[in-house]
Amino acid sequence: AYDDELVKTAKTIASPGRGILAMDESNATCGKRLASIGLENTEANRQAYRTLLVTAPGLGQYISGAILFEETLYQSTVDGKKIVDILTEQKIVPGIKVDKGLVPLAGSNNESWCQGLDGLASREAAYYQQGARFAKWRTVVSIPNGPSELAVKEAAWGLARYAAISQDNGLVPIVEAEILLDGEHGIDR
C-alpha cells in the first residue's frame, strides 16, 4: 500500500549533497546539553533548543531528513508552528527514533539487545499520522564481549523485524547496527 511512497521517501533522504540530522536525543541527553549552558531541563527549554535547530537559515539545502525524538515529533516551535511542518516546508523528511534502548541479553557474554518491538506497529501507525516518513532503530554488537552467536542472531532478527514492521506502516527503515570495537582484542577478533 505504501510502496511508491517508500521509494520516494528513500530517494529524498538519500539525495546527493544532503544528509540526515540526528536530533533524536532523549530528554535526559537534551538536559545535559542544556545544563552545560546553565539552563534547566524543562519542556520549554527543550522546545526552544529544538526550535533553534529546525529554523536555522538554509537548513533544507543541506539536510534531507531529521530523526526526531517522540516528544519532538508532537512538539511545536516557540511560535506555535508544528516542528514537522517546519521541516516539510524545507523539504526535510521527518523521521522518528523507534527503538526503546539496550537491555542485557540473558545467556550472552555480557552483551545487550535492543527492545521496542512490542507495540511497534501501533506506535509507527501513530507516527505516520503525525507526519513521520522514516524510522531509525539502533542496536549494538560488541566485539570486546563477543560477539556471541546469540547476540548476532538477536541483532539481525530484531533489525529485520523492525524493518518489516516499519515498511508495513509506511515508514522507510534506517537500520543502524553499531559495532563496538573498543577493547584490547587483536585485529583477528
Side-chain angles (χ1 to χ4, degrees), residues 154-167:
E154 183 60 40
W157 182 87
L159 289 167
R161 291 298 309 134
Y162 144 73
I165 293 167
S166 294
Q167 290 176 29

Side-chain angles (χ1 to χ4, degrees), residues 40-89:
E40 190 178 343
N41 185 9
T42 64
E43 186 176 355
N45 284 339
R46 291 190 303 271
Q47 177 189 40
Y49 168 68
R50 292 168 179 153
T51 296
L52 182 69
L53 288 175
V54 300
T55 59
L59 186 66
Q61 295 173 5
Y62 307 101
I63 301 298
S64 58
I67 307 167
L68 308 176
F69 187 64
E70 187 174 47
E71 178 181 76
T72 315
L73 182 68
Y74 292 94
Q75 206 166 42
S76 295
T77 63
V78 292
D79 297 329
K81 196 164 188 182
K82 290 182 178 180
I83 286 180
V84 168
D85 293 342
I86 297 283
L87 293 170
T88 55
E89 287 171 5

Side-chain angles (χ1 to χ4, degrees), residues 163-180:
I165 293 167
S166 294
Q167 290 176 29
D168 284 349
N169 286 283
L171 302 180
V172 171
I174 292 182
V175 174
E176 184 182 346
E178 184 174 346
I179 311 299
L180 296 181

Side-chain angles (χ1 to χ4, degrees), residues 63-154:
I63 301 298
S64 58
I67 307 167
L68 308 176
F69 187 64
E70 187 174 47
E71 178 181 76
T72 315
L73 182 68
Y74 292 94
Q75 206 166 42
S76 295
T77 63
V78 292
D79 297 329
K81 196 164 188 182
K82 290 182 178 180
I83 286 180
V84 168
D85 293 342
I86 297 283
L87 293 170
T88 55
E89 287 171 5
Q90 300 177 77
K91 297 187 179 15
I92 299 172
V93 180
I96 182 77
K97 172 194 181 295
V98 295
D99 68 79
K100 294 292 184 181
L102 299 170
V103 293
L105 177 61
S108 72
N109 300 328
N110 198 26
E111 296 164 287
S112 302
W113 69 280
C114 195
Q115 59 187 348
L117 289 173
D118 291 346
L120 181 60
S122 61
R123 289 196 330 268
E124 286 191 331
Y127 299 153
Y128 181 90
Q129 291 301 315
Q130 189 62 25
R133 291 299 179 265
F134 73 95
K136 183 205 78 161
W137 181 286
R138 174 187 161 266
T139 197
V140 169
V141 175
S142 174
I143 301 301
N145 294 342
S148 67
E149 186 175 332
L150 173 63
V152 170
K153 284 183 178 178
E154 183 60 40

